Amino acid sequence: MTKDSTYVTYTWLHLLDDFPEPLEAFVRGSLEPYLMDVHVMLGVTGPVIDPRLPPHLLGRSVALTLLTVVSSAADTLYAKRGKNKEKFVGVLKAYYPWDRAPASGLSEEEAADLLYQEFRNPIAHRAGIRPAGEVTMGIFLPFPGSGNAYREIAAFEQSDGPPSNETLNIDSATCHLEVRTFYWGVRKMIEAITADRSRWPNMVDWLQNHRFLPKGARLEAERARSEERER
């Protein structure tokens, strides 16, 4: 498989200028590399294994990587106590841009729950296999047949609007995850939660308690908390 010849480099997430340095180092060094991988995978082409399929074949890998980023952000940035599902649904409900990239007729909580129950768990634990007779869950293949995939990726990485109208497209028989829009939305989700100063101390506490940050980082978090109270 090869990258598109029109490769355009990855666009970094926008983080606030006063975002605490230890937290920025964590986001840049631990979370953002997954998004860089997605940037590359979205535009990778390869031989057409089945003539009925377009040449871009990494939709499942992109979806699994993005769902992993959501799970990781739920643990480390959302940093609330609770079960994995509660945190996963909670961070998507609170920070994903559902107003700009909705899920056909579903509430924010219903959409987040569907992503956890019907996409994350089946893909991660049983190769996406679902019981017979249930609604078919699918993943829209990115940029089918496009020769300018990376230019398109770079354009929506830098855009305030998603590349398609919906994150999830649902009808009576199928539910499709549009991975380009989900990628755009996950990026916006991380930018939104890192811009929420009220969460910074919790982020530091979680990372510190799990020995990812030095103790001195707590002082910076407390300073941020004090400044937020004074505003």
Side-chain angles (χ1 to χ4, degrees), residues 164-178:
S164 69
N165 293 330
E166 294 179 319
T167 298
L168 292 164
N169 182 275
I170 305 166
D171 58 33
S172 60
T174 62
C175 175
H176 280 97
L177 173 63
E178 216 292 10

Side-chain angles (χ1 to χ4, degrees), residues 35-210:
L35 298 177
M36 295 176 183
D37 288 349
V38 170
H39 172 95
V40 173
M41 286 192 290
L42 280 172
V44 166
T45 61
V48 179
I49 299 171
D50 185 327
R52 295 169 298 178
L53 298 177
H56 296 267
L57 305 172
L58 297 180
R60 289 178 180 82
S61 297
V62 169
L64 181 57
T65 303
L66 290 172
L67 291 163
T68 299
V69 171
V70 173
S71 293
S72 299
D75 267 344
T76 59
L77 302 181
Y78 192 56
K80 282 190 174 182
R81 294 183 181 275
K83 296 180 179 179
N84 290 337
K85 178 184 175 181
E86 293 171 351
K87 292 182 287 186
F88 184 98
V89 171
V91 72
L92 283 171
K93 181 180 177 182
Y95 294 100
Y96 189 85
W98 296 110
D99 57 329
R100 289 174 284 172
S104 301
L106 297 181
S107 69
E108 295 170 358
E109 185 165 359
E110 289 170 337
D113 184 80
L114 188 146
L115 283 169
Y116 186 84
Q117 295 280 49
E118 308 298 344
F119 284 95
R120 179 199 175 276
N121 286 352
I123 294 174
H125 300 300
R126 53 181 186 270
I129 296 174
R130 299 178 49 75
E134 292 192 4
V135 172
T136 300
M137 299 291 166
I139 297 168
F140 281 152
L141 291 168
F143 308 108
S146 171
N148 296 296
Y150 286 109
R151 294 189 186 280
E152 296 178 42
I153 296 166
F156 72 71
E157 283 176 343
Q158 299 165 30
S159 174
D160 287 332
S164 69
N165 293 330
E166 294 179 319
T167 298
L168 292 164
N169 182 275
I170 305 166
D171 58 33
S172 60
T174 62
C175 175
H176 280 97
L177 173 63
E178 216 292 10
V179 291
R180 297 171 304 166
T181 296
F182 191 42
Y183 172 54
W184 174 88
V186 169
R187 288 173 57 90
K188 295 299 181 187
M189 181 193 79
I190 294 176
E191 290 176 347
I193 194 170
T194 57
D196 184 352
R197 290 181 172 85
S198 69
R199 300 219 59 80
W200 292 357
N202 289 342
M203 296 177 193
V204 169
D205 286 345
W206 190 95
L207 292 169
Q208 208 168 39
N209 289 338
H210 290 77

